[in-house]
Amino acid sequence: MQYRAEIDGLRALAVLPVILFHGGFPGFEGGFVGVDVFFVISGYLITSILLNDLAQGRFSILRFYERRARRILPALFFVMAACVPMGLMWMLPGELRLFGQNSIAVSLFASNILFWRTTNYFSPRSEDNPLLHTWSLAVEEQFYIFFPLMLWLIWRFGPRSLIAMIVVTALISLGISEWGWRNSPTANFYLLPTRAWELMAGSLCAVALQTRKVGNNQGLALLGMGMVLAAMAFFDEGTPFPSLYGLLPVVGVVLIILCAGPQTWVGRALSTKVIVGIGLISYSAYLWHQPLFAFARLHAESGPPLWVMGTLALLSLVLAVFSWKFVEQPFRHRDGGVLPTQRSVFVASGAGLLGFIALGSALFFSNGWLTRYAPEDRPLVSINFAEQGRYVWTRFEKHLLKPFPDNTRQNVLIIGDSYGQDFINAIYEADLQDTVNLSTHLILTDCGNLLLTRDMTPLLRAKDRDICARRPRYDTPRLQPLLNNADVIFLVSSWRAWQLPYLEESLANIKKRTNARIVVVGRKSFGRLRPKDILKVPAADRPSLTSPVSEAHLSINAQMVAQNIPYMNLHDILCDGKTACPIISSKGELFSYDGGHLTRAGARFMGQALKDKSVIFQQVFTPPAAE
């Protein structure tokens, strides 16, 4: 292939916004589009290489995988190895366990699948994951598995069949992505079927340039650059992605590849030495930036300031220069390289992948090397995030829209979000679940636990409107029989400030549908005092620790107290009305793993506090008298 400096420049245009986006820099909320620029470039380059091999009769799937292994694995292994000592120093066992699991997935080219399966409302913050960015590598690696074979099979039928295959695949993938962001946004973000159209767009560029030269169209090249920059400037986390919105940057990149020849302003700008230099190290820079940012966030007490993130962004480029020169280049070519034969490449690659699978397994099955902590510290640091999320929602799910049985017990309906899930766990941990008949109904936090006669859509954030329109709130038919038969209804949510002005109106509307007693349960908070900070306190003194409640939370509670509604003030019950709440049990267990959702110990604490201090709770959940 003829070298095109502007393609390396395009890589720089891709990687820099991604780094600035992940660093949290203002003005780069749409920087995530850089990943999609990379996908188009990859589709173009890989297809060009394969078409050249096929045209010259020297196509070899083994040689293709050898090239990919030389290009991808050395720098990836180097960065993953560098993460291990930092993980051992700065990660708690639960975090290190997840790092081990992620290392296994990266080594199996399946990290995108793992993140899809494990990302949920209760997951740790994604920005704290040093290997989060490897999802895009997994997408490309999976593409490399299927696409060369498809191309080889279709090649013999001629260029029209080849173009038809690429176009049909791209259209199907684009259609899936448009369906996916509405119905399964996590899968839509991470998986190959919804990203393949971006790679196929690059493939179409390669097919087009097989029989013609790169154009020097000033207007189309500028239009393409404008489309990419517009997406980066105006997209944000509320933009459904990937979707039809993705056509803006993807078509923009296509125009640059096809029309930004060396005679155009765009081609000359992308071919400047500094831009090309950043493009050359872009892969290593992409690998380095996320671990640096993640470990900084894990290490800092309240999040690193912007100047620290800026310094780390520059450091990622410095480290990229080092790993490009001393890691990428020595492994890149056979002649004079570290691995001179195809066999040596596959043996070394297999050994590296197996090594990281073994290391990840050791970290995962040792619960993040929990035994390095003293016995009295282990209850504090041993939170298993996957099991914790499962604990929060399982009981609530068990009672979801469950019909009330015909008996003499009171019928209790809990309507709410994950805080409603905590509420039912507190009932169970207080061993009161058999004193009443329980049923639950889930209404997502951002959709609002409100029953209004007007359209609520304008009240919601733009990014929540579509999913809330499809999720049942008070309009699901299965809820009305429960409202008819309920004796008591608890509305338990992580209330937002925008919901409060409508709460009295909502309660009046609910009362038109039921004769039940309605109780609004307020928010709760256990602050965000980190286990790393708590470890500095002697174990015997930890049960007396408290964490301050945020001003925003206190303000919401005060506004709810002031309203004319039946209200259970959890702040008064759990914290005795103070501005700081207890956070650790007498056994050294955290009450909440994220400041809001309850661990088993937290549910026990809340259940006992409700039994002891809440008159409403005592009236509803009265154990049967002993015979």
Side-chain angles (χ1 to χ4, degrees), residues 103-162:
S103 298
I104 297 171
V106 172
S107 303
L108 295 173
F109 312 134
S111 56
N112 62 328
I113 297 173
L114 174 67
F115 298 149
W116 160 53
R117 297 297 299 169
T118 58
T119 298
N120 55 60
Y121 183 73
F122 304 103
S123 303
R125 297 187 311 170
S126 60
E127 57 264 36
D128 293 344
N129 182 349
L131 299 178
L132 177 70
H133 59 328
T134 61
W135 73 266
S136 63
L137 300 184
V139 168
E140 291 198 20
E141 288 156 353
Q142 292 156 15
F143 175 74
Y144 299 153
I145 293 173
F146 299 108
F147 185 71
L149 296 175
M150 289 173 56
L151 200 63
W152 175 71
L153 289 172
I154 300 296
W155 169 260
R156 66 193 68 186
F157 297 106
R160 289 187 178 180
S161 297
L162 181 61

Side-chain angles (χ1 to χ4, degrees), residues 37-55:
V37 175
F38 273 128
F39 284 152
V40 181
I41 295 172
S42 293
Y44 164 64
L45 294 175
I46 292 305
T47 306
S48 297
I49 292 170
L50 291 170
L51 288 177
N52 285 336
D53 285 352
L54 286 166

Side-chain angles (χ1 to χ4, degrees), residues 391 425-426 429-430 585 587 589 598-609:
Y391 169 76
N425 283 334
E429 297 299 340
S585 73
K587 297 180 180 179
E589 304 162 297
L598 300 177
T599 62
R600 188 179 297 275
R604 284 197 299 267
F605 169 72
M606 179 170 158
Q608 190 60 49

Side-chain angles (χ1 to χ4, degrees), residues 182-315:
R182 292 182 170 90
N183 296 278
S184 185
T186 304
N188 186 57
F189 183 86
Y190 282 119
L191 299 185
L192 174 62
T194 59
R195 297 282 184 171
W197 68 274
E198 300 173 350
L199 292 147
M200 291 299 179
S203 297
L204 283 175
C205 293
V207 174
L209 293 178
Q210 281 294 108
T211 56
R212 61 183 289 267
K213 293 183 178 181
V214 177
N216 285 287
N217 190 310
Q218 209 71 266
L220 290 179
L222 285 171
L223 175 62
M225 178 63 77
M227 293 172 74
V228 174
L229 295 179
M232 293 178 177
F234 297 112
F235 288 1
D236 57 28
E237 66 172 5
T239 306
F241 215 85
S243 65
L244 289 174
Y245 285 93
L247 287 171
L248 183 64
V250 169
V251 173
V253 177
V254 168
L255 291 176
I256 293 173
I257 292 174
L258 294 178
C259 303
Q263 306 304 314
T264 62
W265 295 329
V266 172
R268 285 198 294 269
L270 292 175
S271 300
T272 57
K273 287 186 178 181
V274 173
I275 301 299
V276 170
I278 295 174
L280 288 172
I281 63 169
S282 60
Y283 176 56
S284 282
Y286 182 76
L287 289 178
W288 277 114
H289 83 281
Q290 177 61 18
L292 292 175
F293 290 165
F295 283 117
R297 291 184 172 110
L298 287 168
H299 185 59
E301 291 186 8
S302 57
L306 209 56
W307 71 266
V308 170
M309 302 304 279
T311 302
L312 293 174
L314 291 175
L315 180 58

Side-chain angles (χ1 to χ4, degrees), residues 356-387:
F356 280 106
I357 290 173
L359 174 65
S361 299
L363 295 175
F364 182 81
F365 290 108
S366 67
N367 288 319
W369 194 12
L370 182 61
T371 54
R372 61 193 157 125
Y373 288 87
E376 61 271 20
D377 294 334
R378 292 174 192 171
L380 175 65
V381 300
S382 60
I383 291 176
N384 182 318
F385 293 102
E387 292 179 4

Side-chain angles (χ1 to χ4, degrees), residues 7-119:
I7 298 300
D8 274 329
L10 197 53
R11 283 194 176 109
L13 180 64
V15 77
L16 291 177
V18 169
I19 293 174
L20 295 171
F21 166 71
H22 286 153
F25 293 91
F28 290 91
E29 289 79 8
F32 59 84
V33 167
V35 173
D36 307 276
V37 175
F38 273 128
F39 284 152
V40 181
I41 295 172
S42 293
Y44 164 64
L45 294 175
I46 292 305
T47 306
S48 297
I49 292 170
L50 291 170
L51 288 177
N52 285 336
D53 285 352
L54 286 166
Q56 297 176 26
R58 55 187 179 86
F59 172 81
S60 167
I61 195 67
L62 290 179
R63 185 163 61 247
F64 173 79
Y65 289 144
E66 177 194 350
R67 290 173 184 157
R68 294 298 88 206
R70 288 181 182 274
R71 176 76 175 101
I72 293 172
L73 295 182
L76 177 63
F77 288 165
F78 185 60
V79 173
M80 289 177 67
C83 289
V84 173
M86 290 190 286
L88 293 173
M89 286 189 295
W90 292 338
M91 283 180 156
L92 294 173
E95 297 163 340
L96 195 58
R97 183 178 185 270
L98 288 180
F99 176 78
Q101 185 181 38
N102 294 340
S103 298
I104 297 171
V106 172
S107 303
L108 295 173
F109 312 134
S111 56
N112 62 328
I113 297 173
L114 174 67
F115 298 149
W116 160 53
R117 297 297 299 169
T118 58
T119 298

